[in-house]
């Protein structure tokens, strides 16, 4: 029997060994498809190909899925994880700079995953060390591994990445999962609908990129009728922690709620995704709707991160 990782194309695999994963902008389309194909092979794969390797998980911001799925992925492949999940327990609380923290931690590990509230922090970390650095979310900027698991989920749920009409709903201004995914979708034949309050529109710079890449998109403020023309509705949490003025958050915090009645209006073909955590934007009465994909999406995080860690740590040589 051939081993699931035996026939992974080694020329592409080698491109990822030791590589920083900071922004999805750095991936060619061929590399994205390769990562998704490799992830598929890792779906049920649990062999200790990363035995003896250590991942440092430095989480300066709250996280459940990203941190624990990285830990699970590493452990499923026989590796180990050290780190912290709260900035108050690291020496940053004593005033240590991020650069110094990274220069110290590099001696304790083979790769680093970092989540940080400041945009660009993952890049700063990557510049401070020769160890591969994976961005687990930097402020409102980017979240590349979320994008990989989102694309993986879209392909699993819809069977394709082209010829899709994808709507983004909620906080398109501060949502880094949205920013990374929108940029990456530009590689595919998609139509994008951006549904948000005026104050939470996708940043101009990203809209300009869509124009340059000739991706068709439109902006709406209401879910209906826009959702009638969609294959996927990617719902997001309003990013409370990023609002400079809490009153602005209060004004928009429950502006959208997706529930079973929406499906009644738009039909049973619409797939609902969400990077999670949700607050009130998806009613739990939607959870048993067959095309509510968000818990499968979260589970795919382990599959995709197993593949990524195996590649970055040179486990597939
Ligand atoms: C997202 C994040 O942290 O950006 N969560 C995640 O990683 N699954 C989305 C969010 O926090 O709303």
């Amino acid at each position: 029997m051939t081993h699931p990782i035996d026939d992974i194309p080694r020329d592409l695999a080698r491109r990822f060994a030791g590589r920083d994963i900071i922004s999805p902008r750095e991936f060619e389309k061929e590399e994205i498809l390769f990562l998704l194909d490799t992830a598929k092979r890792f779906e049920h794969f649990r062999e200790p190909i990363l035995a003896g390797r250590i991942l440092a998980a430095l989480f300066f911001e709250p996280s459940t899925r990203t941190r624990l799925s990285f830990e699970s992925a590493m452990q499923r492949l026989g590796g180990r994880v050290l780190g912290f999940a709260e900035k108050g327990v690291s020496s940053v609380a004593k005033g240590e700079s991020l650069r110094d923290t990274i220069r110290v931690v590099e001696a304790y590990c083979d790769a680093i995953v970092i989540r940080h509230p400041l945009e660009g922090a993952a890049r700063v970390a990557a510049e401070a060390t020769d160890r591969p650095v994976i961005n687990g979310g930097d402020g409102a900027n980017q979240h590349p591994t979320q994008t990989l698991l989102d694309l993986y989920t879209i392909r699993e749920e819809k069977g394709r990445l082209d010829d899709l009409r994808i709507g983004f709903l909620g906080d398109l201004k501060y949502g880094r999962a949205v920013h990374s995914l929108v940029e990456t979708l530009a590689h595919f034949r998609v139509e994008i609908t951006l549904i948000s309050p005026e104050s939470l529109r996708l940043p101009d710079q990203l809209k300009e990129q869509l124009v340059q890449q000739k991706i068709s998109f439109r902006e709406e403020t209401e879910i209906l009728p826009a959702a009638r023309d969609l294959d996927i509705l990617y719902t997001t949490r309003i990013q409370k922690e990023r609002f400079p003025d809490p009153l602005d958050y209060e004004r928009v915090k429950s502006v959208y709620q997706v529930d079973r009645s929406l499906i009644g209006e738009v039909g049973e073909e619409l797939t609902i995704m969400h990077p999670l955590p949700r607050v009130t934007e998806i009613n739990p009465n939607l959870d048993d709707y067959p095309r509510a994909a968000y818990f499968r999406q979260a589970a795919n995080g382990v599959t995709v991160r197993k593949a990524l860690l195996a590649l970055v740590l040179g486990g597939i040589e």
Side-chain angles (χ1 to χ4, degrees):
M1 205 182 90
T2 60
H3 203 269
I5 64 172
D6 277 351
D7 48 356
I8 291 174
R10 293 311 197 253
D11 52 332
L12 278 161
R14 264 180 238 117
R15 285 198 211 171
F16 286 92
R19 184 164 166 179
D20 298 319
I21 308 291
I22 306 298
S23 160
R25 230 170 286 155
E26 293 156 1
F27 298 139
E28 292 170 20
K29 180 174 181 179
E30 173 190 42
E31 293 176 335
I32 294 167
L33 294 174
F34 166 75
L35 286 168
L36 302 183
D37 291 344
T38 304
K40 187 70 192 163
R41 293 167 190 274
F42 273 82
E43 202 173 356
H44 305 291
F45 187 85
R46 288 188 184 191
E47 289 175 33
I49 58 172
L50 296 182
R53 316 306 295 278
I54 297 176
L55 174 71
L58 312 184
F59 279 69
F60 295 89
E61 257 197 353
S63 171
T64 300
R65 275 145 291 271
T66 304
R67 186 172 65 83
L68 295 184
S69 64
F70 264 111
E71 289 199 14
S72 172
M74 195 66 189
Q75 292 181 21
R76 290 263 196 246
L77 299 182
R80 290 172 177 251
V81 185
L82 50 79
F84 50 83
E86 216 259 295
K87 64 175 187 289
V89 301
S90 76
S91 281
V92 171
K94 301 181 190 166
E96 185 172 57
S97 73
L98 179 60
R99 271 174 199 283
D100 282 3
T101 303
I102 297 295
R103 290 207 52 191
V104 170
V105 168
E106 70 174 1
Y108 308 159
C109 67
D110 301 294
I112 295 171
V113 55
I114 179 170
R115 169 170 287 191
H116 199 283
L118 290 180
E119 301 187 9
R123 176 89 54 208
V124 169
E127 282 165 7
T129 177
D130 290 335
R131 296 272 187 270
V133 171
I134 302 175
N135 183 3
D138 61 325
N141 189 29
Q142 298 285 335
H143 196 347
T145 64
Q146 180 70 41
T147 293
L148 292 172
L149 78 90
D150 289 343
L151 292 172
Y152 185 86
T153 303
I154 293 172
R155 205 160 75 167
E156 289 288 302
E157 299 286 325
K158 292 297 195 193
R160 61 188 193 277
L161 290 167
D162 284 304
D163 302 318
L164 287 170
R165 298 162 302 172
I166 304 178
F168 288 89
L169 174 74
D171 189 343
L172 312 187
K173 179 176 182 182
Y174 296 117
R176 57 193 171 198
V178 172
H179 298 165
S180 282
L181 183 55
V182 163
E183 279 198 29
T184 311
L185 282 171
H187 289 295
F188 302 96
R189 218 166 34 241
V190 293
E191 282 172 32
I192 292 178
T193 303
L194 304 167
I195 311 167
S196 73
E198 290 290 344
S199 61
L200 296 179
R201 289 289 190 217
L202 193 74
D204 286 343
Q205 184 218 342
L206 281 168
K207 283 191 276 190
E208 280 156 25
Q209 270 185 41
L210 289 176
V211 172
Q212 275 167 20
Q213 289 160 319
K214 300 195 170 40
I215 300 297
S216 107
F217 74 93
R218 62 193 170 121
E219 295 190 296
E220 304 284 349
T221 47
E222 303 297 327
I223 305 184
L224 284 172
R228 287 211 178 89
D229 299 326
L230 299 176
D231 300 301
I232 296 170
L233 183 64
Y234 190 101
T235 307
T236 65
R237 176 178 71 87
I238 310 291
Q239 309 279 297
K240 181 180 183 184
E241 66 277 27
R242 312 250 182 257
F243 282 69
D245 182 346
L247 282 178
D248 288 339
Y249 171 71
E250 289 302 318
R251 271 191 277 277
V252 289
K253 67 175 183 189
S254 18
V255 58
Y256 301 117
Q257 202 193 60
V258 176
D259 62 11
R260 201 69 217 203
S261 72
L262 178 76
I263 304 305
E265 294 275 349
V266 302
E268 306 262 328
E269 286 301 311
L270 182 66
T271 294
I272 309 288
M273 292 176 64
H274 191 306
L276 301 178
R278 68 174 153 189
V279 189
T280 54
E281 62 280 3
I282 295 184
N283 188 313
N285 74 13
L286 202 66
D287 294 357
D288 58 3
Y289 165 57
R291 290 202 163 82
Y294 31 92
F295 289 113
R296 292 190 291 277
Q297 186 180 351
N300 290 337
V302 178
T303 299
V304 168
R305 290 175 175 123
K306 273 194 290 188
L308 194 66
L309 288 168
L311 287 164
V312 166
L313 286 166
I316 307 168
E317 290 270 329

